[in-house]
Amino acid sequence: MTGPESLSADTAEMLLRRAREARANAYAPYSRFPVGAALLAESGEVFTGCNVENASYGLSNCAERVAIGKAVSEGVRSFRAVAVVGPQDDLYCAPCGACRQVLYEFGPDMLVVTPPADPADGPYRVAPMRDFLPGAFDERRLTPETPRG
Ligand code: THU
């Protein structure tokens, strides 16, 4: 990868397709808002996720964090991009604040691919993770004095 926008159209479209496929498995009976995510690892492997809700609403997991959990638990921690798709293929779905924090941990430079916020912007939108979480809390905020547990 040479720059922040260097994701081929084929790759972006492939990730959006994988995210839509993962969305088909969403367990979202409470919100009725299915979400799918597809994470592209530096290795080329793709890890997908969907939201998994619970009758105890606060225990619900978002699609992006399910995908991250799958990848990290398989020993994969470096990512080039992530696609996120909400219920409608052609509508922008903003990653939630919790997912921004969790995605940022594993790739401030990761590219986020979504349907466009404005259809005039083209078939999809690509922006670096950094743009989603300015002033992020990250490892640099943990001073040497901070107890690490
Ligand atoms: N949701 C995600 O899966 N990812 C996000 O980034 C936004 C929200 C899910 C959580 C919940 O299951 C449903 O969308 C409605 O909030």
Side-chain angles (χ1 to χ4, degrees), residues 11-118:
T11 302
E13 300 284 7
M14 176 277 289
L15 286 176
L16 287 166
R17 176 177 57 76
R18 294 291 302 269
R20 289 193 296 267
E21 287 169 6
R23 180 187 60 190
N25 294 325
Y27 177 69
Y30 307 106
S31 71
R32 300 190 185 286
F33 191 90
V35 180
L39 259 181
L40 175 63
E42 293 289 359
S43 64
E45 254 181 302
V46 175
F47 296 85
T48 60
C50 62
N51 49 340
V52 182
E53 298 186 348
N54 193 275
S56 177
Y57 299 166
L59 299 183
S60 298
N61 279 319
C62 289
E64 301 92 312
R65 281 177 289 147
V66 167
I68 283 277
K70 286 170 66 177
V72 174
S73 65
E74 296 292 327
V76 176
R77 298 179 182 174
S78 304
F79 306 104
R80 286 185 60 200
V82 61
V84 183
V85 177
Q88 285 171 265
D89 288 354
D90 53 354
L91 266 194
Y92 175 64
C93 178
C96 83
C99 290
R100 292 176 194 212
Q101 180 72 25
V102 171
L103 290 168
Y104 189 98
E105 177 80 17
F106 293 100
D109 296 320
M110 180 182 343
L111 296 174
V112 181
V113 185
T114 57
D118 179 342

